[in-house]
Amino acid sequence: MKQLAILGSTGSIGTQALDVVRSHPERFSAHILTAGSNAELLIAQAREFQPDTVVIADERKYEQVRDALADLPIKVYTGEEALCDVVAMPSVDMVLAAMVGFAGLRPTIAALEARKPIALANKETLVVAGEYIMQRVREQQVPLLPVDSEHSAILQCLVGDFGNSVEKILLTASGGPFRRKDAAELQHVTPADALHHPNWKMGAKITIDSATLMNKGFEMIEACHLFHLRPEQIEVVVHPESVVHSAVQFCDGAIKAQLGVPDMRLPIQYALSYPERLGLSGERLNLFALQKLTFEPVDMQKFPCLAYAYEAAHRGGNLPCTMNAANEVANLAFRQGKIPFTRIGEIIRATMDAVPFDNQVAPDVYFATDHEARTVAEQLIL
Ligand code: NDP
Ligand code: MG
């Protein structure tokens, strides 16, 4: 029985992780649940799963959660610090990092320092601090399992081939909702258009990142760190059907790919049960119904965020952190209707040019850079 700390249990990944727990009660328990501010859902989850502890990060919601759970022996905490404390509890066997954005970095570092195995959905952690995180993973000898579907696919391809030389990764991308739009049309797309992803139902922030292809840029950086590869070894392949979840090409030219219907419960569950596979009910891939799979190159002129990510990956240092912070600010401003879609990339570019480069591998540098880059990006929006 694995006792899980699920950071971000009220989100898209968090709720699907709880589906996995629900179908394997003999294997997993939801020991700790945490949310940002969605008190209602956190309370409902706590009543169903009876965790040991819950954390509501938003302090204004603390009393509501505490009072609603007063009849149960569940500890209730609040604040950002509490997130870092609970992951280190001795009774926690694994941490699922499924918070969104830079906010996920600190609790993930806390889990690493407490030597807890981590199932990582929060890709921003590896974008911002990949070098540092992977260094601590090696030093602490902590398992770090990817939840992102592409990286789970890559891991599934590597199983049985660890130690064999990889030539490149074929990182598949659906292309997002605007794959067929031209540059002029992109000027006028709305948040509602962008929030309508063709194949995946995800949280709002990552759905916008998928529309700009910033998400694919993040995933390229994530893959470099997780699998010790150079950026030029990661090739983005647009594959609108989202059936091939990614592929690995080895030194002899052999390509292994992982296929399946788009369902995040599989990569979530695989990270929790790795290296074992557990049963998962649901739709199966029907190749006869599908008939064909299509692949096309990516247009980085139309989607410059992906080009910025390659640049950030090459230069390293705090540049990916700057890029991430500018993206968080611009992504939110677009969702709030403050800027047009094409401005997201422009703000990221301008922020990357404005914030001083720093090559030190240290959390303090990331926190300072994040702060500075947000300030720059916010001024560009005014
Ligand atoms: P959601 O927005 O759906 O959920 C985010 C979760 O984090 C919620 O539980 C939210 O709480 C919580 N949260 C947000 N901000 C804070 C904060 N400041 N402090 C504490 N908790 C906070 O996001 P997703 O589930 O879509 O994504 C989560 C992560 O997983 C992201 O990094 C994303 O890139 C990655 N990912 C997601 C995929 C998907 O299919 N959704 C696929 C691959 C990766 P509340 O509900 O209270 O706001
Ligand atoms: Mg992904």
Side-chain angles (χ1 to χ4, degrees):
M1 169 71 84
K2 256 186 208 170
Q3 306 208 110
L4 305 174
I6 303 180
L7 304 179
S9 66
T10 52
S12 163
I13 295 288
T15 51
Q16 294 181 86
L18 286 173
D19 279 344
V20 170
V21 172
R22 215 179 262 123
S23 32
H24 293 286
E26 74 298 348
R27 297 296 300 262
F28 307 115
S29 78
H31 192 62
I32 293 175
L33 299 176
T34 84
S37 61
N38 188 344
E40 289 77 14
L41 185 53
L42 183 64
I43 291 163
Q45 291 178 339
R47 297 204 80 86
E48 178 184 351
F49 290 93
Q50 307 273 325
D52 177 82
T53 300
V54 300
V55 180
I56 182 89
D58 184 343
E59 297 180 6
R60 293 165 302 180
K61 301 286 180 76
Y62 169 69
E63 285 173 11
Q64 181 187 349
V65 177
R66 185 199 58 192
D67 294 351
L69 300 177
D71 59 323
L72 296 171
I74 299 174
K75 300 191 261 308
V76 181
Y77 300 118
T78 187
E80 199 197 336
E81 214 40 54
L83 295 170
C84 298
D85 294 340
V86 295
V87 295
M89 280 167 36
S91 51
V92 170
D93 297 316
M94 188 174 214
V95 176
L96 172 61
M99 288 164 59
V100 62
F102 185 84
L105 177 60
R106 221 187 274 271
T108 307
I109 292 177
L112 257 178
E113 294 309 322
R115 301 195 67 190
K116 302 295 184 184
I118 297 170
L120 186 73
N122 180 256
K123 62 187 80 186
E124 294 89 347
T125 288
L126 282 180
V127 171
V128 165
E131 222 179 315
Y132 174 78
I133 295 286
M134 296 314 291
Q135 183 186 314
R136 291 303 290 153
V137 161
R138 284 189 296 275
E139 287 163 359
Q140 295 281 79
Q141 297 182 12
V142 173
L144 180 72
L145 282 312
V147 168
D148 216 341
S149 59
E150 294 78 0
H151 307 77
S152 177
I154 295 164
L155 175 63
Q156 292 175 61
C157 296
L158 288 172
V159 166
D161 267 305
F162 293 122
N164 281 327
S165 172
V166 169
E167 238 166 43
K168 69 175 180 183
I169 300 281
L170 300 159
L171 186 71
T172 50
S174 71
F178 304 144
R179 180 171 59 92
R180 294 193 176 285
K181 293 215 184 298
D182 61 30
E185 289 173 297
L186 283 183
Q187 309 270 357
H188 306 292
V189 296
T190 65
D193 299 332
L195 285 168
H196 189 75
H197 193 278
N199 303 337
W200 299 96
K201 174 101 192 62
M202 310 177 285
K205 191 251 176 188
I206 185 178
T207 307
I208 301 300
D209 288 344
S210 300
T212 59
L213 292 203
M214 187 78 263
N215 181 54
K216 211 45 63 179
F218 286 168
E219 293 183 351
M220 177 272 296
I221 297 176
E222 195 185 1
C224 289
H225 291 299
L226 282 170
F227 306 111
H228 312 292
L229 297 167
R230 297 184 307 280
E232 56 273 20
Q233 288 176 288
I234 319 279
E235 183 173 27
V236 175
V237 179
V238 176
H239 167 48
E241 296 86 4
S242 294
V243 163
V244 176
H245 295 310
S246 278
V248 179
Q249 179 174 314
F250 293 91
C251 55
D252 57 359
I255 294 179
K256 283 166 81 177
Q258 188 254 326
L259 283 68
V261 294
D263 181 346
M264 280 309 293
R265 291 176 309 155
L266 169 58
I268 294 168
Q269 176 171 295
Y270 190 69
L272 301 181
S273 68
Y274 177 86
E276 197 182 340
R277 284 185 188 273
L278 304 179
L280 178 63
S281 60
E283 197 189 334
R284 297 310 195 227
L285 183 62
N286 181 342
L287 289 174
F288 298 107
L290 207 74
Q291 292 200 342
K292 66 173 189 208
L293 296 172
T294 59
F295 304 94
E296 52 190 73
V298 67
D299 182 346
M300 288 207 224
Q301 300 262 303
K302 210 165 81 179
F303 297 107
C305 293
L306 181 57
Y308 303 154
Y310 272 101
E311 178 189 335
H314 274 291
R315 290 186 59 203
N318 64 343
L319 197 56
C321 177
T322 299
M323 177 181 75
N324 176 72
N327 179 61
E328 286 193 25
V329 170
N331 177 312
L332 180 64
F334 171 67
R335 276 183 277 151
Q336 292 171 335
K338 292 180 185 164
I339 56 169
F341 183 76
T342 45
R343 189 89 184 107
I344 298 175
E346 292 166 10
I347 287 168
I348 294 169
R349 173 77 267 164
T351 309
M352 286 170 73
D353 291 338
V355 174
F357 184 73
D358 189 334
N359 213 4
Q360 295 171 79
V361 181
D364 285 352
V365 173
Y366 307 132
F367 289 107
T369 301
D370 179 73
H371 180 75
E372 185 171 356
R374 276 170 202 274
T375 309
V376 170
E378 271 154 14
Q379 274 162 1
L380 290 166
I381 283 161
L382 293 178

